[in-house]
Amino acid sequence: MADRNVALVLLAAGDSVRFHGNKLLTDFCGKPLYRHLVDEIAELPDAFFYRKLVVSQYPEILNQLEKEGYEAVENTESVLGISHSISLALRQMDGREDAVCFAVCDQPYLRKQTIAELVCGWNESGKGMACVCANGRDGNPAIFARKYEPALMGLCGDVGGKQVMKCFPDDVFRLEIGQELELEDIDRREDMRRNT
């Protein structure tokens, strides 16, 4: 478990434009796509994350995860992009969190071990931010200390936390993983067929 309070935020509000449908609720290997990450996280110790939130426009996801201990944050303006989801989540913070870990729900191959190693590695690094990477490619999940919350709140449109990392490259811990597949997300229907 991390020594510092890390809040987990699952981002599940995208419009799935390239998928032409709600990809997060589409069956992938026997269960809805979003459940793959949720089920991995469920296997971590209960106190691993200080608190868990989910940001989504989909009532099915919000209602189900609320039953599983997540704080539900409704995004009624998903057209504003991922920056709006980030902002909605940060407005729910209570000031007792040392950092926020953002994860996206369309990465079905991400493993709980990777999530745990990222949080623990960041905690030991003393850095202000962290992300998973493979072969020089940065990906999700990503962690941001509280001092970066104003910068995250200042993002606009479909721009995420990578923009903040680019501004402060020396303050980023990167967890290099061997399986680049873990970073793959599902954007199009053909991605599901290719990867199953």
Side-chain angles (χ1 to χ4, degrees):
M1 185 173 67
D3 292 334
R4 293 183 277 178
N5 288 336
V6 178
L8 172 70
V9 173
L10 296 187
L11 299 171
D15 289 333
S16 306
V17 174
R18 287 174 287 179
F19 192 83
H20 301 293
N22 186 341
K23 65 180 176 181
L24 296 178
L25 293 175
T26 299
D27 181 86
F28 182 80
C29 297
K31 57 186 174 183
L33 177 61
Y34 85 95
R35 288 286 340 170
H36 289 268
L37 177 59
V38 169
D39 290 347
E40 286 292 308
I41 292 169
E43 293 187 25
L44 293 171
D46 288 341
F48 191 83
F49 289 108
Y50 161 60
R51 57 195 289 209
K52 296 186 290 187
L53 300 85
V54 57
V55 182
S56 184
Q57 62 173 307
Y58 305 113
E60 301 96 324
I61 294 176
L62 292 171
N63 294 338
Q64 181 57 44
L65 292 190
E66 198 166 30
K67 294 175 186 174
E68 298 178 36
Y70 284 79
E71 299 169 49
V73 181
E74 185 179 15
N75 183 345
T76 59
E77 298 180 285
S78 58
V79 68
L80 297 178
I82 194 169
S83 65
H84 185 58
S85 288
I86 291 171
S87 177
L88 288 173
L90 292 177
R91 288 178 202 161
Q92 302 300 313
M93 295 299 126
D94 58 14
R96 288 183 287 179
E97 76 286 348
D98 295 300
V100 179
C101 177
F102 292 96
V104 293
C105 285
D106 60 357
Q107 281 182 239
Y109 306 107
L110 186 64
R111 300 176 307 129
K112 61 180 178 293
Q113 294 94 331
T114 299
I115 298 168
E117 288 173 13
L118 176 68
V119 174
C120 294
W122 165 79
N123 189 57
E124 294 170 2
S125 74
K127 302 281 189 179
M129 295 176 282
C131 68
V132 176
C133 69
N135 296 322
R137 171 189 164 204
D138 289 346
N140 290 304
I143 299 173
F144 298 86
R146 280 187 63 196
K147 67 180 180 179
Y148 287 112
E149 288 183 14
L152 292 169
M153 290 290 286
L155 296 172
C156 296
D158 206 27
V159 176
K162 285 182 184 177
Q163 185 66 39
V164 178
M165 290 184 174
K166 287 178 183 176
C167 295
F168 304 94
D170 294 335
D171 200 23
V172 181
F173 164 74
R174 288 178 168 84
L175 176 68
E176 182 73 33
I177 59 174
Q179 290 288 334
E180 192 169 5
L181 182 64
E182 287 193 64
L183 299 187
E184 294 299 320
D185 56 6
I186 302 296
D187 280 333
R188 301 173 175 84
R189 291 188 181 272
E190 49 264 38
D191 294 338
M192 285 193 160
R193 292 192 292 270
R194 183 175 67 243
N195 294 323
T196 52

